[in-house]
Amino acid sequence: MNSPFQFPEGFLWGTATAAHQVEGNNVNSDIWVLEHIPDSPYVEPSGDACDHYHRYQGDITLLAELGFNAYRFSMEWARIEPEEGEFSRAILEHYRDMLRACHEHGITPIVTFHHFSSPRWLISRGGWEDKKTPDRFARYCERAARHLGDLIGAACTINEANIASVGTRMGFMPSRKKLKERRWWLEAAEAFGVSPKKMSPFMYASSSKAERITLRAHRRAVEAIKSASGNFPVGITLALQDIQAGEGGEEFAAQMRKEINDVYLESLQGDDFVGVQAYHRSRVGPTEFLPPEEGVELTEMGYEFWPESLEATIRYAVDKTGLPVIVTENGIATADDARRIEYVRRALQGVANCLRDGLAVRGYTYWSAMDNYEWSLGYRPTFGLIAVDRETQERTVKPSARWLGAVARANAFDRV
Ligand code: GCO
């Protein structure tokens, strides 16, 4: 019989959320606008979401009671800087209160400065393809870090900096050329008061120019956060892909790894860690991504049930960067909570294998603390450890939350 695997002392055990997906009524953000354009890909608006903006006290208390010692959440730029150059002290204080609530419960706050949503005004000014955006982002980061840095445990500048690159290459996001022919895109451009060619919300910013601007924004943000305050680690998070070659797919796999993962991983010199986010493997043939393999169990997202992708991407990230890793997201959308436990158990086995081999993995934050707004897919996919009744906002703890919370408290789990 195997003895339980002991994680290193101080290992961060958390859950993750993003402001737009849980706070509710994020009305000044670009995504709120997109959600309300008729026929946009957003199947429903985010509305009150989980009303986490008002209920964070109860939510953080619950996470601590379950056994977690970390919480990754994002601050909303659209709230903190509602018009360009105009900062809200009241909103900064709100996030200060959230940080305080974490500390009161022995929870290390991992704060993301940008998680997909941006202020409307940024999009009106060319968004993530405008050369001034790195400076704009750095100014916001500096302001927020100066106000809050003494309470931040670790900071992620940009969440999934490579998401648009992943989306267009893997085909779940239309190319810019196609977008410009769509009616909803034209209407959205009108709503932002920008030409359809110049409209560039984060998730749709897939050009090589956007790639450079995003990476520059990250670099500028790291400098700004570090100069403003604090003695906490700063890094980026990436949607890393475990790209596996099917028959004849070796060359294309290498090309995709380079374009989706390496361009970003190779630009992180000077960072303190890399945030690894992985959910499933992606198979490729000679010229394209392949659909899920016949017979493999699928999640609510249509992904293959493939928790081993976490170990593969951690090893990949360490190999390319030499940096410590925080698993900033890993999880599964499923209605079958027993499958969630199985998924996380296997993913953690991968983390344990990495640790045993001496890799510097500092923490694991499960996506997500609660069922929430899964962007264009709305509320249908359920990633949460905690269910949320969207009528009453009542929280119901799932067995997986108790299981992972117990692992967190013990800082150990039983290996198979
Ligand atoms: C992302 C984001 C999260 C998602 C999660 C589940 O990866 O798209 O960081 O906001 O909700 O990954 O798809």
Side-chain angles (χ1 to χ4, degrees):
M1 210 182 87
N2 285 315
S3 56
F5 178 82
Q6 194 63 45
F7 284 75
E9 211 189 303
F11 192 81
L12 297 168
W13 289 100
T15 62
T17 61
H20 189 81
Q21 296 177 273
V22 293
E23 285 185 347
N25 300 298
N26 189 17
V27 300
N28 197 39
S29 74
D30 57 345
I31 312 259
W32 184 272
V33 176
L34 299 179
E35 284 164 27
H36 289 85
I37 303 286
D39 301 324
S40 84
Y42 290 78
V43 298
E44 59 185 321
S46 51
D48 284 338
C50 306
D51 195 25
H52 188 57
Y53 192 82
H54 300 108
R55 293 168 194 264
Y56 68 87
Q57 281 281 3
D59 291 336
I60 290 169
T61 307
L62 181 54
L63 292 170
E65 280 167 6
L66 284 166
F68 295 100
N69 65 12
Y71 178 41
R72 173 175 178 241
F73 63 92
S74 74
M75 298 188 294
E76 184 54 61
W77 185 7
R79 293 189 200 269
I80 293 176
E81 191 180 357
E83 293 297 340
E84 181 161 19
E86 227 177 283
F87 292 89
S88 165
R89 275 193 81 86
I91 304 289
L92 285 167
E93 276 302 304
H94 165 84
Y95 289 115
R96 207 169 164 79
D97 289 344
M98 263 185 99
L99 291 164
R100 266 197 216 108
C102 289
H103 289 287
E104 277 159 19
H105 289 93
I107 283 191
T108 299
I110 303 171
V111 178
T112 306
F113 281 63
H114 185 275
H115 195 126
F116 292 175
S117 48
S118 307
R120 291 178 185 222
W121 61 259
L122 188 83
I123 310 308
S124 306
R125 289 164 175 71
W128 289 90
E129 275 176 311
D130 189 82
K131 62 178 190 318
K132 290 194 190 134
T133 289
D135 284 345
R136 294 177 176 128
F137 182 57
R139 177 181 51 189
Y140 145 69
C141 289
E142 195 276 337
R143 188 74 177 76
R146 192 153 30 92
H147 201 94
L148 307 167
D150 57 323
L151 297 180
I152 292 176
C156 309
T157 55
I158 298 176
N159 178 70
E160 297 194 344
N162 60 338
I163 189 68
S165 161
V166 173
T168 42
R169 285 175 177 78
M170 290 181 60
F172 61 81
M173 207 75 111
S175 69
R176 295 284 298 188
K177 198 160 158 265
K178 289 223 176 84
L179 278 170
K180 274 180 258 163
E181 289 157 12
R182 305 217 171 141
R183 208 186 141 77
W184 74 268
W185 184 261
L186 306 181
E187 280 179 38
E190 209 177 306
F192 288 113
V194 72
S195 83
K197 235 175 74 196
K198 282 206 159 155
M199 188 167 81
S200 202
F202 186 79
M203 277 193 256
Y204 296 91
S206 58
S207 64
S208 49
K209 185 174 177 199
E211 196 173 286
R212 284 196 304 278
I213 285 177
T214 302
L215 282 168
R216 199 174 320 133
H218 164 65
R219 186 57 40 225
R220 296 274 295 104
V222 174
E223 291 159 11
I225 295 169
K226 286 193 179 281
S227 73
S229 133
N231 187 22
F232 48 84
V234 184
I236 201 168
T237 89
L238 296 171
L240 289 178
Q241 301 304 313
D242 174 12
I243 297 170
Q244 301 185 5
E247 217 186 304
E250 279 306 342
E251 212 174 297
F252 186 61
Q255 181 64 21
M256 286 301 105
R257 281 184 207 116
K258 197 163 156 229
E259 293 179 14
I260 290 176
N261 297 335
D262 304 359
V263 171
Y264 295 85
L265 289 168
E266 285 161 3
S267 313
L268 305 183
Q269 295 89 349
D271 289 8
D272 299 317
F273 70 91
V274 52
V276 169
Q277 314 200 162
Y279 290 86
H280 58 96
R281 69 169 179 172
S282 305
R283 293 166 58 248
V284 300
T287 56
E288 59 188 359
F289 281 86
L290 301 172
E293 201 170 1
E294 194 91 19
V296 177
E297 177 182 347
L298 300 183
T299 73
E300 284 177 344
M301 298 290 283
Y303 302 153
E304 287 181 329
F305 184 100
W306 208 268
E308 286 68 28
S309 60
L310 183 60
E311 176 173 353
T313 49
I314 293 173
R315 290 187 188 277
Y316 196 89
V318 172
D319 187 50
K320 292 278 167 192
T321 66
L323 291 172
V325 163
I326 300 177
V327 177
T328 39
E329 282 181 29
N330 171 254
I332 177 175
T334 177
D336 181 349
D337 201 50
R339 296 309 288 155
R340 186 180 335 276
I341 295 177
E342 174 63 7
Y343 180 95
V344 178
R345 197 181 57 71
R346 276 166 50 184
L348 288 178
Q349 179 65 63
V351 175
N353 293 343
C354 292
L355 286 165
R356 216 186 20 228
D357 288 347
L359 273 62
V361 188
R362 306 279 191 240
Y364 174 91
T365 62
Y366 176 82
W367 184 271
S368 179
M370 24 189 172
D371 293 340
N372 63 41
Y373 185 69
E374 181 58 21
W375 310 108
S376 62
L377 300 176
Y379 289 98
R380 191 188 50 83
T382 49
F383 279 93
L385 295 175
I386 299 166
V388 177
D389 180 324
R390 298 210 45 259
E391 287 298 312
T392 62
Q393 292 293 347
E394 194 190 333
R395 275 57 171 154
T396 306
V397 171
K398 301 180 191 178
S400 55
R402 298 203 191 283
W403 175 81
L404 187 55
V407 171
R409 193 173 279 119
N411 200 28
F413 87 121
D414 293 310
R415 283 185 287 166
V416 254

